[in-house]
């Protein structure tokens, strides 16, 4: 059986199951070079913009910050710092609506720009050892800019050796051209970022993949590779056929290597690592220029945009402000889709900021994306199964998701679904299949989280009971030991006095019991009451004699006692 390197060097390209060929519509935004959005008065910066936990806030309201200054600090592995997109004053730190289809809120730091856009003192990384590169990438707040937003420094520290490093410049989603334009204008810096990543992972082969519908980007990258220190066969440019979703991680790996990532597995499990071209550019700026991730390229496109194109946009830029500048032609029921038409989602409000995962803002006209809003019954035609690139059974998953049969959904590998939208695209009944899958995934995650929290609560309760029992036993042991110690330290006189006191107490108790018995018996039978009273008097007299004997014994030695 051929090794991974041998499969790559034979020069073949493979194919993946299913897929579709939707209209590309990329020329709307790809014809002009990258431009920079103007400086706006206010920025709302979410403190968590990656797949992981937010860092710890290290600024306060009223504080003046510079562009690139850290607003949060990271301490955990999954944490990434967030940096100020421009210089200005922090006016609020509060919960605001996040850039998500759910419309939920998250903590944001609002910065009023001072108009200077003044950078911090940049500190390029001079030590290019793997550990220092990883550390610099983490401190720059870099995560995957292809959509997953996973912290890049974690991907650069895989559990297994990496044989093949894949650079994803495919960008298969219709309308989106941010990566295409970045490769055309910044190919040299992308390759510099690639050289830095290669220093860390030391892959045997590097494959730079671009779809064949991007001839200008292919030419620019080929020229940059020729100027690079990475030579063939180590670095190879792979031009692949246009097909959606060939830019998906698992699909691109299969096209380039013929290998499939195991279900619920990671590319690193088969010795492969993938990075997006935007991520490599951010790595180059962080290491060579000391610039943290504070901006990204955003495609603004659609027939309702007067100035379609690709723009450098600071993170935290309010989307409504950005679109007003870009010339949004407002129409009744105007939609704004973040992402492409296949995997993107309609923003519930435009009063949300640009974040690290914002690669496109699609502004369709009323006639551009016409869809039949009426959802009809599934006719089990099987079209969805024929185009699913993961080879799932979408119609079965639909039934299980609709009826909330969570275990069945997991058995049919719901979490292998990449939500590419191919199934919904070809569905003749206009069923929003991906929507059902997303809801089902959310419900399963919520259920698992509740079970996890319940198990944690049970474990905490049991641990508490164990601690309380241990404390009780220790306390009893201390008391017992203290009593033994006190008894050992007592003189004979003290022991006699204690014995006398105990005897008097027992006599008093016996007297009380006798009276209670007498009273109880007298109600039922006077004879029994008399007998009980006589017995009680005898017991009391005996207890009194014992107490007097103990007292006399103590007074012989010490009359005062």
């Amino acid at each position: 059986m051929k090794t991974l390197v041998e499969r790559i060097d034979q020069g073949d390209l493979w194919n993946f199951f299913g897929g579709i060929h939707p209209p590309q519509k990329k020329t709307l935004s790809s014809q002009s070079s990258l431009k920079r959005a103007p400086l706006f008065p206010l920025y709302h910066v979410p403190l968590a913009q990656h797949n992981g936990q937010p860092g710890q806030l290290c600024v306060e309201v009223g504080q003046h910050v510079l562009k690139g200054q850290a607003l949060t600090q990271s301490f955990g592995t999954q944490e990434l710092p967030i940096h100020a997109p421009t210089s200005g004053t922090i006016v609020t730190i509060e919960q605001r609506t996040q850039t998500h289809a759910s419309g939920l809120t998250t903590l944001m730091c609002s910065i009023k720009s001072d108009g200077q856009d003044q950078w911090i003192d940049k500190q390029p990384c001079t030590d290019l050892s793997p550990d220092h590169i990883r550390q610099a990438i983490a401190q720059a707040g870099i995560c995957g800019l292809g959509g997953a937003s996973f912290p890049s420094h974690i991907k650069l520290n895989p559990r297994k050796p990496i044989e093949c490093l894949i650079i994803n410049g495919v960008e298969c989603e219709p309308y989106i051209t941010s990566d295409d334009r970045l490769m055309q204008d910044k190919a040299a810096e992308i390759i510099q970022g690639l050289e830095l990543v290669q220093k860390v992972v030391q892959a045997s082969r590097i494959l730079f993949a671009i779809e064949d519908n991007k001839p200008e980007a292919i030419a620019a990258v080929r020229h940059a590779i020729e100027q690079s220190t990475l030579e063939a066969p180590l670095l190879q440019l792979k031009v692949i056929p246009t097909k959606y979703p060939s830019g998906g991680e698992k699909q691109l790996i299969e096209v380039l290597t013929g290998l499939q990532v195991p279900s619920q597995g990671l590319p690193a499990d088969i010795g492969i690592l993938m990075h997006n071209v935007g991520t490599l550019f951010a790595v180059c700026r962080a290491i060579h220029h000391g610039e943290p991730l504070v901006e990204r390229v955003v495609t603004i496109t659609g027939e309702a945009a007067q100035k379609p194109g690709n723009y450098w946009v600071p993170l935290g830029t309010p989307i409504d402000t950005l679109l007003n500048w870009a010339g949004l032609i407002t129409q009744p029921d105007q939609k704004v889709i973040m992402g492409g038409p296949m995997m993107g989602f309609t923003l519930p409000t435009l009063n949300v900021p640009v974040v690290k995962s914002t690669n496109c803002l699609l502004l369709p006209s009323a006639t551009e994306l016409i869809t039949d809003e009426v959802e009809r019954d599934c006719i089990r035609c099987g079209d969805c199964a024929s185009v699913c690139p993961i080879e799932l059974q979408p119609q079965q998953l639909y039934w299980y998701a609709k009826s909330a049969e969570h275990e069945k959904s997991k058995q049919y590998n719901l979490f292998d679904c990449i939500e590419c939208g191919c199934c919904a695209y070809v569905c003749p009944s206009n069923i929003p299949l991906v929507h059902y899958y997303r809801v089902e995934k959310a419900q399963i995650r919520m259920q698992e989280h509740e079970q996890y929290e319940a198990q944690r609560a049970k474990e905490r309760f049991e641990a508490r009971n164990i601690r309380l029992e241990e404390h009780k036993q220790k306390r009893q042991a201390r008391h017992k030991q203290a009593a033994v110690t006190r008894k050992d330290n007592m003189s004979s006189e003290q022991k006699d006095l204690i014995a006398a006191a105990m005897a008097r107490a027992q006599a008093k108790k016996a007297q009380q019991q006798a009276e209670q018995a007498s009273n109880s018996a007298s109600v039922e039978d006077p004879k029994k009451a008399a007998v009980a009273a006589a017995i009680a008097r005898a017991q009391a007299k005996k207890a009194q004699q014992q107490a007097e004997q103990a007292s006399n014994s103590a007074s012989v030695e010490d009359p005062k006692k």
Side-chain angles (χ1 to χ4, degrees):
M1 185 176 180
K2 293 182 179 179
T3 65
L4 177 57
V5 173
E6 290 173 343
R7 293 172 69 88
I8 292 172
D9 289 346
Q10 72 185 25
D12 294 338
L13 291 177
W14 286 261
N15 197 3
F16 60 89
F17 181 85
I20 57 176
H21 295 85
Q24 295 297 301
K25 297 198 174 182
K26 292 178 177 286
T27 55
L28 285 172
S29 58
S30 63
Q31 301 305 304
S32 59
S33 59
L34 288 172
K35 299 176 183 177
R36 188 167 295 279
L39 199 62
F40 296 115
L42 194 63
Y43 293 85
H44 306 295
V45 186
L47 302 186
Q49 300 183 36
H50 64 283
N51 188 353
Q53 298 298 319
Q56 182 176 341
L57 188 68
C58 59
V59 293
E60 58 186 14
V61 175
Q63 181 177 341
H64 186 271
V65 294
L66 298 178
K67 183 176 182 179
Q69 181 175 336
L71 305 178
T72 63
Q73 294 176 327
S74 60
F75 297 99
T77 305
Q78 293 278 356
E79 296 179 2
L80 280 182
I82 297 296
H83 303 82
T86 189
S87 58
T89 303
I90 298 174
V91 291
T92 60
I93 299 175
E94 61 185 0
Q95 293 284 333
R96 297 181 63 90
T97 304
Q98 61 180 313
T99 313
H100 193 270
S102 66
L104 299 176
T105 61
T106 188
L107 191 63
M108 297 191 193
C109 185
S110 298
I111 301 175
K112 182 179 180 182
S113 172
D114 60 8
Q116 302 299 315
D117 204 32
Q118 182 181 357
W119 272 97
I120 57 171
D121 184 18
K122 301 178 186 178
Q123 299 291 335
C125 184
T126 56
D127 186 346
L128 299 183
S129 63
D131 288 341
H132 281 84
I133 291 176
R134 276 193 293 262
Q135 183 179 1
I137 290 173
Q139 292 304 313
I142 298 175
C143 61
L145 298 182
S149 300
F150 191 78
S152 299
H153 69 283
I154 299 179
K155 291 183 70 173
L156 291 176
N157 192 22
R159 297 186 299 270
K160 297 181 179 179
I162 298 300
E163 292 187 75
C164 179
L165 173 61
I166 297 177
I167 309 307
N168 190 343
V170 174
E171 198 172 46
C172 60
E173 178 99 2
Y175 284 94
I176 307 176
T177 59
S178 55
D179 287 349
D180 181 7
R181 198 66 242 184
L182 186 65
M183 288 186 288
Q184 292 184 49
D185 295 359
K186 303 292 183 180
E189 290 171 282
I190 292 173
I191 297 300
Q192 291 175 23
L194 172 57
E195 293 172 346
L196 293 167
V197 170
Q198 173 62 7
K199 285 180 179 290
V200 177
V201 300
Q202 294 295 310
S204 301
R205 291 292 182 270
I206 305 172
L207 305 180
F208 200 122
I210 308 177
E211 268 189 332
D212 58 11
N213 63 351
K214 303 175 180 63
E216 296 86 358
I218 293 170
V221 171
R222 180 175 284 115
H223 177 72
I225 289 176
E226 292 173 353
Q227 310 300 317
S228 171
T229 59
L230 303 173
E231 301 177 350
L234 173 59
L235 174 57
Q236 303 176 24
L237 177 61
K238 295 287 187 178
V239 180
I240 68 172
T242 299
K243 181 182 179 182
Y244 180 84
S246 58
E249 187 175 58
K250 295 182 178 180
Q251 289 66 50
L252 184 55
I253 288 173
E254 188 170 359
V255 169
L256 296 176
T257 68
L259 301 178
Q260 291 186 344
V261 178
S263 176
Q264 301 297 313
L266 298 173
D269 296 335
I270 57 175
I272 297 175
L273 180 66
M274 184 178 297
H275 275 291
N276 175 264
V277 293
T279 307
L280 295 184
F281 180 83
V283 168
C284 171
R285 300 303 299 182
I287 303 299
H288 291 321
H289 302 274
E291 297 178 2
L293 182 58
V294 296
E295 62 181 5
R296 68 154 299 146
V297 179
V298 178
T299 299
I300 298 178
T301 186
E303 294 179 358
Q306 292 182 351
K307 296 189 289 185
N310 289 282
Y311 302 94
W312 286 109
V313 180
L315 303 177
T317 300
I319 289 180
D320 52 0
T321 305
L322 177 65
L323 295 184
N324 288 335
W325 169 80
L328 171 61
I329 305 174
T330 305
Q331 304 178 44
D333 299 326
Q334 176 66 57
K335 294 181 178 179
V336 175
I337 301 172
M338 187 176 122
M342 302 299 296
M343 298 185 70
F345 60 89
T346 301
L347 291 171
T349 175
L350 298 185
N351 188 24
V352 293
V354 170
V355 293
K356 294 178 182 179
S357 59
T358 308
N359 59 350
C360 177
L361 294 172
L362 174 57
L363 318 177
S365 65
T367 59
E368 190 171 2
L369 296 177
I370 301 177
T371 58
D372 184 0
E373 298 296 336
V374 179
E375 177 185 338
R376 294 181 288 272
D377 293 335
C378 174
I379 61 176
R380 291 192 174 274
C381 61
D383 287 354
C384 54
S386 66
V387 299
C388 177
I390 311 297
E391 300 184 63
L392 302 176
Q393 294 295 322
Q395 72 275 21
Q396 293 299 119
L397 289 172
Y398 162 66
W399 292 114
Y400 297 141
K402 193 173 182 179
S403 57
E405 296 185 52
H406 303 324
E407 291 302 320
K408 281 288 187 180
S409 295
K410 290 190 285 187
Q411 290 175 13
Y412 275 74
N413 300 318
L414 171 67
F415 284 92
D416 282 346
C417 172
I418 61 174
E419 302 177 12
C420 63
C422 290
C423 53
Y425 183 81
V426 301
C427 179
S429 296
N430 197 49
I431 300 174
L433 294 167
V434 175
H435 170 75
Y436 284 102
Y437 304 155
R438 286 172 176 166
V439 172
E440 177 71 353
K441 287 180 180 180
Q443 290 178 346
I444 291 174
R445 291 191 183 103
M446 185 180 299
Q447 183 186 68
E448 292 177 345
H449 178 71
E450 290 174 353
Q451 293 174 351
Y452 171 73
E453 290 297 328
Q455 181 63 27
R456 285 189 60 194
K458 180 181 178 182
E459 292 173 355
R460 290 196 299 268
F461 178 74
E462 292 175 348
R464 178 178 180 273
N465 287 341
I466 292 173
R467 290 196 308 272
L468 292 176
E469 183 63 26
E470 290 177 350
H471 292 164
K472 179 181 177 181
Q473 293 177 0
K474 290 179 180 179
R475 186 170 59 252
Q476 291 175 346
R478 289 196 304 270
H479 292 170
K480 186 176 180 180
Q481 181 61 38
V484 171
T485 302
R486 287 195 302 271
K487 186 174 181 181
D488 292 342
N489 294 333
M490 283 183 184
S491 64
S492 58
E493 297 86 354
Q494 291 174 324
K495 293 179 180 179
D496 292 339
L497 288 174
I498 291 173
M502 292 179 64
R504 288 193 299 271
Q506 290 175 354
K508 184 177 181 180
K509 183 178 180 181
Q511 179 67 28
Q512 292 173 348
Q513 291 176 346
E515 291 175 356
Q516 292 175 356
S518 177
N519 295 334
S520 176
S522 63
V523 175
E524 300 176 358
D525 190 342
K527 292 182 179 180
K528 291 182 179 179
V531 173
I535 293 172
R537 287 194 297 273
Q539 291 176 344
K541 184 177 180 180
K542 184 178 180 181
Q544 181 66 26
Q545 289 173 350
Q546 291 175 347
E548 291 176 354
Q549 289 175 359
S551 177
N552 293 334
S553 174
S555 63
V556 170
E557 299 176 0
D558 191 341
K560 291 183 179 180
K561 294 182 180 178

